[in-house]
Amino acid sequence: MKFTCLLDLASHWASEKGVDVPQLVAEICPADKPGDITLNCFRIAKGLRSNPMQLAQGAQEFLEAHQDVESVEVEKAFVNIILTPKATHEATVADAEAFFESVKLPEAERLNYLIEYSAPNTNKPLHLGHLRNNALGMALVEILKKVGHEVHPVNLVNDRGIHICRSMEAYKRFGNGETPESTGVKGDHFVGSFYVKYAQELELQVKALKEDEPGLAEQSTDKLFLQTEIGQATQRMLIDWENRVPEVIELWELMNSWVLAGFNQTYDRMGVYFDKCYMESETYKLGKDIIDVGLEKGVFYKREDGATEIDLKKYKLDKKVVLRSDGTSVYITQDIGTTILKADDFNPDAMVWVVGDEQIYHFKVLFAILKELGYEWADKLYHLAYGMVNLPSGRMKSREGTVVDADNLFDELHELAKAEIRKRFNGQELPADLEHRAEVIAQGAIKFMLLKVNPKTTMMFDPEAAVKFEGDTGAYLQYVCARIASMLRKASDSEVTDYVDWALLNHKKEKELSLCLARYPQVIQKAAQDKDTGQLGTYLLDLGKAFNGFYHDCPVLKSDVDPSLRRARLELSDRVFTTLKDGLNALTIDTLESM
RNA sequence: GCUCCCAUAGCUCAGCUGGAUAGAGCAUCAGAUUUCUAAUCUGAGGGUCACUGGUUCGAAUCCAGUUGGGAGUACCA
């Protein structure tokens, strides 16, 4: 927000005191104070090494004489300024093109980002936790694009390993040749059901084992895994998979194709897309050659027992094994290799991983190793570590059946949204796009709920609150858009002049609205910088509330409104509409012309 | 044991580089609708910002410690 009166004040001070005056940043005046904007002289005084009270006095004297200023009041070192309406609106949103252009970062600060998110396992359907990941990843992509970065989203599908073999082994035993097509079950759910069956069978075998050998009674299922018949069979299957045994590969390909088809449906519904999907089955052997290079460089060393290790005490981290003594890879080896592959593929300036906060340590280690290996992009790696999603009853536990399934949640919200629409049509003919409206509202509800909080917060998902479309919700914001769209529709046939007289918008709510709008470019840039969707969500709610206040107090289309005032209010409303839509789209939430 | 994160209204969450009397939504109570779409708006009650000390003109915010919670700490992924 660049207000002429503050620019003038800055140059006035500069010439008066003969020093450089940093840019004077205005704050929004608190609602209970007399003013539109506030100059905090406590803050300015530090830079100028002056007395805050005297600065405030001086500011008042200067500003009272300024043509953009109606009045000034000083409280302590706060200078509360009431601007003329013209100055308020023209410094903020009058020039729509300039306003939206100011969202973009300077050319020199724009980067090429590579963002990895989602990273599902192909053995179970997606649940609420994945939805937080997906929503964050998608939104981060759009926010970064919005401020001018180039962004490439990628996925890394965990399609191999012992957990995948579990579903396969169970299918071999209990599948009876059924398929998603023959049963009509979505592919990922179909395969997931065998993962569940596997767990049941394993428990039975463990129980039998413990009955045979009471000494094992205290052992965990994981410990006894390889002593069960099914566990051994699964382990053999993993080895067969690695040896590319045709019938195992065939089954694996078949079941993965089912799961991925299911995931793609869910992705499409959310609007998830990727520039590239890496499959772990194709990348899991990567990284070993890099370890050799690192050994030569002295980054790694061989331990006496043959394992290859790196000492990261310089980074306040522990030692980390990167190759087992038998020469095989560990998880981080693969991650090193995959990261380098991604860097080669996209040549990014910066990379982001959207992964849960339980892996914070892992990424610290990964980044430190890549730094030691000397990659030029190693300083621009970021782990967006989000907190987990809890239920009122606590953590989601698959064993207790409390996992909130993604597809079911979508369906449930869709039906509830539809019921809400029906309620409002109250017997009238329903709109032709009823299903579309319900889906946009449902997606908006779940996404906004997940994105409005700070990503790092361990958040609570309350099903009761999620199914309401009131208060701090996506629907609240979509509703504002629908209201404005309705006004703009009704006004479209009226005469539209190019000239908007912003000086007419002198109502407190009108000025507040412009001042709130004016924060948008900074907010979205800060959200991009901090990779924090919560800041944007909070802001959009502020904007929505500011509009609803205006809408309540300032009639636009009523017959007694002067045409030029109506014109100006429509223009302001249009700016809210465009901004809200832009901001919601940055959160990957769609808007509606009618709800 | 060690490391990291968290603690703000009954509940869920904001609170930017320290700045005015700590905010919002939900819930509770009281109001507003011959509508520009009430999925809305207005008002009320509700706080020892976990605790103790420190830095500062000024601390929810910074520092140290205490208590309580979560996560991580494998030749697992």
Side-chain angles (χ1 to χ4, degrees):
Chain A
M1 275 181 278
K2 286 191 178 158
F3 294 99
T4 310
C5 61
L6 295 183
L7 295 174
D8 292 346
L9 175 62
S11 48
H12 167 68
W13 272 342
S15 63
E16 187 185 72
K17 300 173 195 300
V19 292
D20 278 347
V21 177
Q23 202 195 335
L24 301 178
V25 180
E27 297 165 19
I28 306 289
C29 193
D32 55 341
K33 300 288 174 191
D36 297 320
I37 57 172
T38 298
L39 196 60
N40 180 350
C41 289
F42 283 112
R43 206 162 265 170
I44 299 160
K46 275 177 191 161
L48 293 177
R49 294 175 50 211
S50 310
N51 180 305
M53 307 301 175
Q54 280 173 10
L55 274 181
Q57 281 294 321
Q60 182 176 27
E61 279 163 31
F62 179 86
L63 291 170
E64 275 177 339
H66 198 281
Q67 58 167 0
D68 288 352
V69 176
E70 281 188 354
S71 65
V72 182
E73 276 188 39
V74 172
E75 185 180 338
K76 299 180 187 172
F78 295 98
V79 183
N80 296 320
I81 306 160
I82 297 184
L83 297 162
T84 65
K86 193 164 185 287
T88 309
H89 302 293
E90 285 186 349
T92 52
V93 297
D95 185 342
E97 206 177 319
F99 177 66
F100 286 107
E101 191 53 37
S102 67
V103 164
K104 295 247 192 299
L105 292 167
E107 202 93 36
E109 292 175 32
R110 300 181 192 174
L111 301 177
N112 178 13
Y113 269 96
L114 183 63
I115 299 183
E116 178 188 302
Y117 73 98
S118 201
N121 289 324
T122 56
N123 60 342
K124 280 187 283 194
L126 304 178
H127 59 68
L128 185 56
H130 297 110
L131 292 187
R132 188 175 195 188
N133 183 308
N134 290 346
L136 280 169
M138 296 169 73
L140 183 61
V141 169
E142 298 310 315
I143 289 170
L144 291 175
K145 278 186 176 173
K146 204 65 93 178
V147 301
H149 297 297
E150 179 181 343
V151 188
H152 297 285
V154 300
N155 195 359
L156 174 58
V157 181
N158 299 303
D159 62 343
R160 63 162 282 280
I162 191 78
H163 53 289
I164 308 295
C165 293
R166 287 183 177 215
S167 310
M168 288 161 62
E169 186 63 37
Y171 181 73
K172 254 173 75 176
R173 293 171 188 230
F174 312 115
N176 299 321
E178 286 180 341
T179 66
E181 291 75 29
S182 73
T183 55
V185 176
K186 190 164 169 278
D188 48 341
H189 291 259
F190 180 82
V191 171
S193 71
F194 288 99
Y195 192 76
V196 172
K197 277 205 183 73
Y198 184 97
Q200 291 164 350
E201 174 64 20
L202 180 62
E203 282 307 322
L204 284 177
Q205 293 200 9
V206 165
K207 200 175 159 205
L209 193 63
K210 285 178 177 174
E211 276 164 12
D212 285 352
E213 296 180 53
L216 298 174
E218 296 302 310
Q219 300 277 344
S220 71
T221 301
D222 282 349
K223 275 251 168 63
L224 298 174
F225 178 69
L226 285 177
Q227 293 183 45
T228 62
E229 176 274 323
I230 194 166
Q232 287 165 6
T234 312
Q235 187 66 29
R236 273 200 307 277
M237 183 182 267
L238 181 63
I239 291 163
D240 286 348
W241 182 88
E242 288 182 357
N243 293 327
R244 314 279 312 163
V245 171
E247 62 179 73
V248 172
I249 294 293
E250 207 173 298
L251 177 62
W252 171 76
E253 280 175 345
L254 180 67
M255 291 182 75
N256 265 345
S257 72
W258 291 339
V259 173
L260 292 173
F263 284 172
N264 283 334
Q265 271 183 43
T266 309
Y267 281 163
D268 284 347
R269 200 166 171 184
M270 288 188 85
V272 166
Y273 69 92
F274 299 103
D275 282 1
K276 183 159 183 169
C277 284
Y278 292 94
M279 307 306 277
E280 199 189 306
S281 55
E282 293 164 9
T283 61
Y284 78 107
K285 287 183 172 165
L286 294 175
K288 283 173 101 167
D289 48 341
I290 306 296
I291 304 303
D292 290 339
V293 175
L295 263 172
E296 278 173 36
K297 283 175 147 180
V299 172
F300 307 114
Y301 55 86
K302 280 236 182 207
R303 251 168 31 182
E304 275 184 21
D305 60 6
T308 307
E309 197 175 63
I310 183 169
D311 190 344
L312 296 169
K313 67 166 168 284
K314 165 175 161 192
Y315 298 86
K316 292 184 180 165
L317 301 167
D318 288 332
K319 294 173 180 174
K320 179 71 192 173
V321 167
V322 293
L323 284 182
R324 297 189 183 98
S325 46
D326 63 3
T328 56
S329 292
V330 293
Y331 177 60
I332 202 148
T333 320
Q334 191 188 138
D335 249 8
I336 294 166
T338 309
T339 303
I340 292 162
L341 174 66
K342 290 193 297 186
D344 289 344
D345 284 351
F346 290 92
N347 199 21
D349 305 307
M351 293 193 239
V352 180
W353 285 256
V354 182
V355 177
D357 61 7
E358 70 275 8
Q359 295 204 41
I360 286 175
Y361 184 79
H362 170 78
F363 279 100
K364 280 186 182 166
V365 170
L366 176 65
F367 295 169
I369 292 174
L370 290 163
K371 174 92 178 140
E372 283 300 288
L373 286 169
Y375 291 97
E376 67 272 22
W377 35 259
D379 286 320
K380 288 254 202 282
L381 306 178
Y382 186 84
H383 172 205
L384 177 54
Y386 61 92
M388 82 180 36
V389 186
N390 287 333
L391 302 171
S393 56
R395 291 180 67 152
M396 284 193 281
K397 287 180 184 145
S398 53
R399 223 181 322 157
E400 291 170 20
T402 56
V403 175
V404 177
D405 177 79
D407 295 315
N408 291 348
L409 183 63
F410 286 169
D411 288 344
E412 197 183 334
L413 285 173
H414 181 102
E415 287 310 311
L416 284 161
K418 203 151 77 176
E420 290 290 322
I421 297 168
R422 278 216 179 86
K423 203 157 68 186
R424 280 159 186 78
F425 277 77
N426 193 25
Q428 301 168 53
E429 194 189 342
L430 290 166
D433 62 347
L434 174 67
E435 294 297 331
H436 174 252
R437 289 187 194 189
E439 184 65 11
V440 169
I441 293 166
Q443 287 295 326
I446 179 81
K447 285 178 178 173
F448 193 78
M449 186 193 69
L450 294 169
L451 295 172
K452 74 176 174 185
V453 301
N454 188 314
K456 72 176 184 183
T457 310
T458 300
M459 66 175 286
M460 162 85 77
F461 173 79
D462 182 354
E464 298 281 325
V467 302
K468 292 187 177 167
F469 302 101
E470 292 166 10
D472 283 352
T473 61
Y476 177 90
L477 297 172
Q478 288 168 330
Y479 184 62
V480 172
C481 290
R483 273 181 153 177
I484 300 174
S486 169
M487 282 199 309
L488 295 173
R489 265 198 308 278
K490 287 185 178 164
S492 64
D493 52 349
S494 69
E495 83 284 22
V496 174
T497 57
D498 283 337
Y499 179 70
V500 176
D501 188 357
W502 293 96
L504 296 173
L505 302 181
N506 195 25
H507 196 284
K508 176 91 177 147
K509 302 275 180 173
E510 292 165 337
K511 290 166 100 185
E512 278 174 7
L513 194 48
S514 273
L515 290 166
C516 184
L517 279 166
R519 288 165 51 212
Y520 180 64
Q522 303 146 226
V523 167
I524 195 154
Q525 288 185 3
K526 187 81 172 13
Q529 189 189 336
D530 296 350
K531 297 170 182 65
D532 177 6
T533 57
Q535 292 175 28
L536 181 54
T538 305
Y539 167 78
L540 293 174
L541 288 170
D542 283 349
L543 181 57
K545 282 172 208 164
F547 177 81
N548 275 331
F550 156 81
Y551 183 84
H552 189 262
D553 290 359
C554 303
V556 181
L557 301 179
K558 295 276 175 68
S559 56
D560 56 345
V561 179
D562 182 80
S564 47
L565 179 58
R566 161 188 167 118
R567 172 78 187 101
R569 283 181 173 166
L570 275 173
E571 188 73 13
L572 180 60
S573 301
D574 179 67
R575 210 68 85 245
V576 175
F577 180 80
T578 319
T579 305
L580 221 37
K581 191 170 169 162
D582 198 61
L584 283 170
N585 288 349
L587 296 178
T588 74
I589 294 170
D590 285 333
T591 55
L592 290 163
E593 294 284 317
S594 304
M595 284 172 78

